């Protein structure tokens, strides 16, 4: 830990770190020399062997994803950056773009070179106007200085980068929903396969990567895959920007290697739980199954530990809840969110999310019997894995884990005498 | 009443449209330009956008309706968007909503009679570590308390 050097947040404290001049003075665009000395296939191999996983939530190995792009199809290849950060509890890409936009651009250049892409779009959520302005300014400066545009740094490689502004739809963080949105349509996800690597934006091979995934790449190209793989844990190499929100004394984000125990993260970085003892943790954004305080005792911030605890690493931003938290009200907040954000395309999701929300509303109003909790679990089972995208499962996970692990919080609202009547459709 | 884009905006749009292999892809940017120019997305604005992008007015409406940031109703001079999702909730967004609802006598989706304020609770604004938070037009206001929210409203009122 002692020799750990920040990679993603190294310029966060630097004055004007977002400006090209300062970026170059602090080692920016240094990976390009190594990059252009390699063949694209070698770059993919390098990233593959670094073990870098996608930071958007699914944790899919980045190098492997790149290797799926078919070569010589005669069609252009696109790289689309997923900067539609919207998973409840997640707030770090926002600062990556604000404080170090050139690092992202450098990552885009590396990835584009590897997959043979000459046009890249950064899909930024609509609310992030400040970030959009920063990125546009950075693109303009980079272009003037020959880091983007034609024949980048004399390498013969051309790349244009454009910012595409979203307009407020959570589902556009799903990669195929994002591509639909990029094409000027409703952000309704597409059936896979074909995967975007084969048929993506505008019917062409496309790679969609998260902001932090790409921002991690320049360090790998500069220092080598072995050096990257030596950081963190065996299954979760490298560093990540971990976030804390909710009931901790100090909320915020910190970059560190994977593998820190969750309790140490809460105590040391979050300065402990606020307002009482720890009750529950949602480890990586609202779609991840919730964990009890007991389950967190031997949890570490890594993909494998989260998997062993039957939850997901997700975005690496944890939501902390103290002992006074009413889990029924928190789940109501989430069912409302998913009901609101469901794109409406698939029946199990559209109807299921609204139904779960209505039942929970009835429970909280003291108008339901405890058996309706079992109905909620049944609906969750019917929502999981039966739709075009994982949004539906992303509600089934919290519903199931909240009710199973904190059933008493729900039962206290239930009335044994209540007669089950259909909830009012609202 | 039909609306028309300014000449400069049309030029701006043409430059944006060149970024995409299909003109249709510039629909979201076109709607942003329309919102900037006309203040909100009326059905007339949708027609103007459809002519600009080259798709049907219905296709524009379908997209405009799907995305929450396109205002289909004229918002107030200050559009107060309070985040109500989990992390903000844990740190008191309900209180913030109450302050606004009481002080301005507004329900979600309403605008004050003088057109100064409109109010809409929204979902996660990705400012979870500084919740409760609120977006007023394009600006984030973070770590809100009932007091600071009252003060902010007073300040905006004077502007």
């Amino acid at each position: 830990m002692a020799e750990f050097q920040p990679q993603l947040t190294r310029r966060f404290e630097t004055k004007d770190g977002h400006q090209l001049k300062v970026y170059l003075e602090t080692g920016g665009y240094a990976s390009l020399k190594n990059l252009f000395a390699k063949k694209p296939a070698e770059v993919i191999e390098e990233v593959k062997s670094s073990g870098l996983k996608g930071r958007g939530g699914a944790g899919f190995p980045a190098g492997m994803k790149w290797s799926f792009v078919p070569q010589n199809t005669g069609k252009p290849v696109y790289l689309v950056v997923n900067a539609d950060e919207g998973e409840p509890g997640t707030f770090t890409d926002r600062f990556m773009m604000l404080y170090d936009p050139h690092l992202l651009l450098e990552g885009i250049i590396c990835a584009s070179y590897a997959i043979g892409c000459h046009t890249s779009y950064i899909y930024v959520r609509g609310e992030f106007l400040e970030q959009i302005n920063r990125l546009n300014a950075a693109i303009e400066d980079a272009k003037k200085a020959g880091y983007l545009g034609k024949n980048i740094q004399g390498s013969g490689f051309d790349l244009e980068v454009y910012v595409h502004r979203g307009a407020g739809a959570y589902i556009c963080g799903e990669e195929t929903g994002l591509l639909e949105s990029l094409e000027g349509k409703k952000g309704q996800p597409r059936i896979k396969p074909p995967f975007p690597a084969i048929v993506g934006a505008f019917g062409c091979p496309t790679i969609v990567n998260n902001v932090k995934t790409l921002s991690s790449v320049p360090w790998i190209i500069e220092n080598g895959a072995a050096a990257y793989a030596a950081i963190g844990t065996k299954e979760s190499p490298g560093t990540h920007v971990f976030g804390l929100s909710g009931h901790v004394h100090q909320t915020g984000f910190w970059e560190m290697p994977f593998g820190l125990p969750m309790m140490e993260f809460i105590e040391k970085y979050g300065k402990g739980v606020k307002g009482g003892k720890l009750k529950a943790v949602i480890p990586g954004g609202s779609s991840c199954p919730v964990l009890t305080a007991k389950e967190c005792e031997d949890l570490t911030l890594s993909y494998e530990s989260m998997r062993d605890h039957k939850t997901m690493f997700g975005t690496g931003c944890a939501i902390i809840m103290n002992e006074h938290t009413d889990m029924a009200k928190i789940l109501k907040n989430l069912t409302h969110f998913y009901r609101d954000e469901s794109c409406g395309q698939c029946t199990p999701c559209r109807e299921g999310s609204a139904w779960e929300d209505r039942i929970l509303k009835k429970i909280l109003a003291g108008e339901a019997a405890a058996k309706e909790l079992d109905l909620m679990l049944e609906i969750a089972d019917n929502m999981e894995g039966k739709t075009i995208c994982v949004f539906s499962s992303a509600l089934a996970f919290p519903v199931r884990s909240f009710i199973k692990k904190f059933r008493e919080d729900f039962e206290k609202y239930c009335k044994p005498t209540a007669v089950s009547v259909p909830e009012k459709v609202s | 009443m039909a609306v028309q884009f300014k000449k400069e905006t049309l030029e701006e749009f043409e430059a944006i449209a060149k970024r995409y292999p299909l003109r249709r892809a510039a629909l979201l940017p076109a709607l942003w330009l329309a919102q900037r120019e006309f203040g909100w997305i009326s059905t007339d604005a949708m027609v103007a956008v459809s002519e600009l992008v080259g798709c049907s007015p219905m296709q524009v409406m379908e997209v405009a309706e799907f995305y929450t940031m396109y205002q289909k109703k004229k918002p107030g001079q200050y559009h107060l968007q309070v985040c109500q999702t989990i992390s903000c909730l844990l740190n008191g967004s309900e209180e913030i909503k109450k302050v606004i609802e009481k002080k301005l006598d507004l329900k979600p989706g309403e605008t004050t009679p003088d057109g100064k304020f409109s109010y809409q609770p929204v979902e996660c604004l990705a400012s979870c570590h500084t919740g409760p938070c609120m977006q007023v037009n394009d600006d984030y206001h973070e770590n809100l308390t009932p007091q600071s929210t009252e003060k902010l409203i007073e300040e905006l009122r004077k502007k």
Side-chain angles (χ1 to χ4, degrees):
Chain A
M1 269 295 273
E3 69 273 34
F4 158 68
Q5 294 287 324
Q7 303 169 11
L8 298 164
T9 59
R10 65 189 129 161
R11 285 180 200 88
F12 277 30
E13 306 284 322
T14 312
K15 191 176 175 292
D16 293 332
H18 63 282
Q19 290 187 355
L20 181 61
K21 187 171 167 281
V22 180
Y23 187 71
L24 290 170
E25 283 164 8
T26 49
Y29 290 115
S31 70
L32 299 190
K33 204 170 151 242
N34 282 357
L35 180 79
F36 294 130
K38 286 181 202 292
K39 290 198 180 83
E42 291 169 349
V43 177
I44 294 180
E45 272 316 306
E46 189 85 33
V47 174
K48 241 189 202 173
S49 57
S50 76
L52 173 67
K53 288 187 165 83
R55 305 294 192 226
F60 194 81
M64 197 187 286
K65 200 180 205 180
W66 296 359
S67 71
F68 294 153
V69 173
Q71 294 301 323
N72 311 318
T73 57
K75 289 180 184 172
V77 175
Y78 294 107
L79 174 71
V80 180
V81 184
N82 187 343
D84 191 50
E85 183 165 61
E87 177 77 7
T90 307
F91 50 87
T92 51
D93 288 349
R94 209 182 130 189
F95 297 100
M96 294 299 305
M97 292 182 278
L98 194 64
Y99 295 140
D100 210 345
H102 283 286
L103 181 63
L104 175 59
L105 293 181
E106 191 173 340
I108 292 172
I109 298 169
C110 296
S112 298
Y113 178 74
I115 62 171
C117 151
H118 302 289
T119 310
S120 173
Y121 300 97
I122 311 176
Y123 187 104
V124 188
R125 74 175 280 178
E127 286 87 348
F128 290 172
L129 202 57
E130 214 181 347
Q131 284 75 2
I132 290 169
N133 293 338
R134 279 260 164 108
L135 284 168
N136 277 328
I139 290 168
E140 200 177 312
D141 289 347
K143 220 173 153 173
K144 273 187 209 145
Y147 291 102
L148 288 176
K150 295 259 176 241
N151 190 18
I152 294 171
Q153 299 297 302
S155 64
F157 180 68
D158 306 336
L159 176 66
E160 294 294 340
V161 180
Y162 303 112
V163 175
H164 184 90
R165 185 181 183 190
Y170 169 74
I171 194 59
C172 294
E174 199 277 346
E175 62 175 1
T176 58
L178 186 144
L179 295 176
E180 285 287 300
S181 183
L182 178 70
E183 293 181 10
K185 301 176 208 155
K186 294 190 281 184
Q188 294 188 319
R190 300 172 180 169
I191 292 172
K192 292 189 270 193
F195 287 91
I198 316 295
V199 182
F202 311 108
C204 300
T206 302
I207 289 297
V208 183
N209 277 150
N210 166 267
V211 172
K212 279 191 290 295
T213 313
L214 290 168
S215 295
S216 299
V217 174
W219 197 94
I220 296 170
I221 303 301
E222 205 181 328
N223 299 280
Y228 192 80
I231 307 166
T233 69
K234 196 163 170 288
E235 281 186 65
S236 311
T239 74
H240 187 63
V241 186
F242 296 91
L244 274 178
S245 69
H247 293 150
V248 283
H249 287 289
Q250 187 173 294
T251 55
F253 57 85
W254 300 269
E255 184 184 359
M256 56 184 117
F258 286 88
L260 187 80
M262 176 62 89
M263 293 314 293
E264 197 180 323
F265 184 40
I266 295 171
E267 292 305 324
K268 201 169 140 193
Y269 294 86
K271 308 279 183 217
V273 181
K274 188 170 74 176
K277 282 192 218 137
L278 181 66
K279 179 168 186 170
V281 173
I282 301 179
S286 65
S287 307
C288 306
V290 67
L291 296 172
T292 61
K294 180 121 190 47
E295 286 173 306
C296 290
E297 280 170 11
D298 59 348
L299 181 74
T300 64
L301 302 176
S302 65
Y303 291 94
E304 61 275 19
S305 181
M306 298 290 176
R307 188 188 58 220
D308 294 344
H309 286 76
K310 298 196 169 44
T311 185
M312 298 180 296
F313 179 76
T315 60
C317 285
I319 305 168
I320 311 300
M321 288 165 271
N322 70 22
E323 58 184 327
H324 305 296
T325 312
D326 184 337
M327 300 305 274
K329 285 191 177 152
I330 298 300
L331 184 62
K332 176 71 178 71
N333 183 271
L334 295 181
T335 55
H336 179 274
F337 174 83
Y338 286 90
R339 176 193 184 159
D340 217 53
E341 298 289 350
S342 171
C343 82
Q345 191 174 206
C346 310
T347 309
C349 176
R350 182 187 63 245
E351 300 301 322
S353 59
W355 195 3
E356 297 280 32
D357 191 52
R358 286 197 301 268
I359 297 175
L360 200 43
K361 188 178 173 192
K362 203 168 70 173
I363 290 173
L364 287 172
E367 293 166 1
K371 67 174 180 191
E372 306 233 359
L373 289 169
D374 299 319
L375 177 61
M376 284 187 75
L377 293 173
E378 203 185 312
I379 297 168
D381 288 343
N382 286 323
M383 288 178 74
E384 189 187 342
K386 300 195 171 55
T387 48
I388 289 173
C389 80
V390 293
F391 180 101
S392 192
S393 305
L395 175 58
F397 295 152
V399 166
R400 208 179 289 143
S401 58
F402 269 70
I403 296 178
K404 285 189 176 161
K405 292 177 186 177
F406 302 97
R407 196 169 171 114
E408 62 283 0
D409 279 25
F410 294 84
E411 281 182 341
K412 72 171 192 248
Y413 289 102
C414 298
K415 293 230 164 60
T417 51
V419 186
S420 181
V421 285
E423 0 15 86
K424 248 199 339 229
V425 177
S426 56
Chain B
M1 212 178 71
V3 294
Q4 265 189 328
F5 282 106
K6 284 186 207 136
K7 194 168 160 277
E8 304 89 270
T9 313
L10 294 174
E11 283 163 9
E12 196 179 340
F13 175 78
E14 290 308 324
I16 292 170
K18 282 201 187 80
R19 298 172 184 171
Y20 306 95
L22 296 174
R23 197 172 168 88
R24 165 73 197 255
L27 177 51
L28 266 69
L31 282 163
W32 279 120
L33 291 176
Q35 185 148 305
R36 189 186 72 192
E37 190 146 323
F38 310 124
W40 60 296
I41 308 291
S42 61
T43 42
D44 289 326
M46 291 179 197
V47 173
V49 167
S50 76
E51 282 162 5
L52 190 59
V53 178
C55 54
S56 73
M58 195 57 224
Q59 286 172 318
V60 177
M61 180 179 245
E62 177 180 85
V63 169
E65 293 285 347
F66 186 83
Y67 297 93
T68 56
M69 289 186 78
Y70 297 128
Q71 307 293 338
K72 275 75 68 178
K73 206 172 92 177
K74 194 180 175 192
Q77 185 187 351
Y78 297 106
H79 189 46
L80 311 178
Q81 303 159 88
V82 184
C83 175
Q84 59 179 354
T85 314
I86 182 161
S87 297
C88 284
L89 173 79
L90 288 169
N91 282 313
S93 59
E94 287 298 310
E95 298 298 310
I96 307 304
K97 278 159 70 180
K98 270 183 210 152
V99 167
I100 294 171
E101 288 170 17
K102 201 168 155 226
K103 203 168 167 68
L104 296 171
D105 192 23
L106 286 177
K107 288 196 189 75
E110 288 183 345
T111 307
T112 52
D114 62 358
K116 190 108 187 177
F117 294 99
S118 51
Y119 161 62
Q120 183 64 56
V122 294
E123 301 302 341
C124 193
L125 289 174
S127 195
C128 313
H129 64 314
T130 54
C133 77
M134 160 162 80
Q135 207 177 6
V136 181
N137 300 346
D138 292 328
D139 301 326
Y140 275 68
H141 296 268
E142 298 161 280
N143 296 309
L144 293 170
T145 62
Q147 294 76 23
S148 70
T149 308
E150 290 221 14
K151 210 174 138 215
L152 176 66
I153 293 174
E154 285 305 326
E155 281 165 14
L156 293 174
R157 202 174 249 162
K158 280 181 212 145
K159 273 191 192 172

